[in-house]
Amino acid sequence: MSGRRFSAVVDLPVTSEVAFRYLCDPRNRPEWQSSLVSVDAPADVEPHLGQAWRETTAVGVRPHMETIELTPFRVWTERGSWRGVSATLALHFTDRAAGCRVRAEGEVTGRGVWVVASTAAGLLAGKAIAADLRKAGRILASRAKQ
């Protein structure tokens, strides 16, 4: 098995509580995560430890996802798997004077023929998650103005 770690840090113009509530809810993901087309998660279930859902990506990958860590307004971690690829993503939230800082850390691993795909995904992941988090910040800032 081979893995590729990634990270990103983004400052958002909202509190940790606001950012956490939005980012850890899988139902919001297609709105801010550029690689997603849809999320299959129950509409009436609040985010919780052990929550599972399935995503459909723009390239047709359909990973099974699960929340594996949830400390309100501080840390949220997910794990996903699809065929020979698995990934983890942890979001760490810290309040700041003008909003909050979100530190994303993760790893994409692959086995067998999936090593090349997982390495490529890991190389792109840091920049992609940073761009997606900035988009989430713009969405949340525009809602705060309403």
Side-chain angles (χ1 to χ4, degrees), residues 70-139:
L70 189 134
T71 304
F73 321 134
R74 295 290 162 240
V75 180
W76 175 78
T77 305
E78 70 179 11
R79 176 177 45 224
S81 60
W82 181 77
R83 299 193 181 178
V85 178
S86 61
T88 59
L89 171 66
L91 299 180
H92 302 267
F93 300 80
T94 306
D95 282 317
R96 298 179 49 86
C100 73
R101 175 164 286 168
V102 179
R103 181 172 42 91
E105 298 177 328
E107 183 174 22
V108 181
T109 59
R111 61 182 187 277
V113 298
W114 298 100
V115 168
V116 173
S118 68
T119 300
L123 285 170
L124 301 171
K127 289 183 180 182
I129 192 68
D132 288 342
L133 290 171
R134 286 191 294 273
K135 181 177 180 182
R138 290 189 300 274
I139 290 166

Side-chain angles (χ1 to χ4, degrees), residues 6 14 22 31 34 46 58 66 109 115 120 126 141:
F6 62 88
V14 296
Y22 180 72
E31 184 176 38
S34 60
E46 291 300 312
E66 179 183 4
T109 59
V115 168

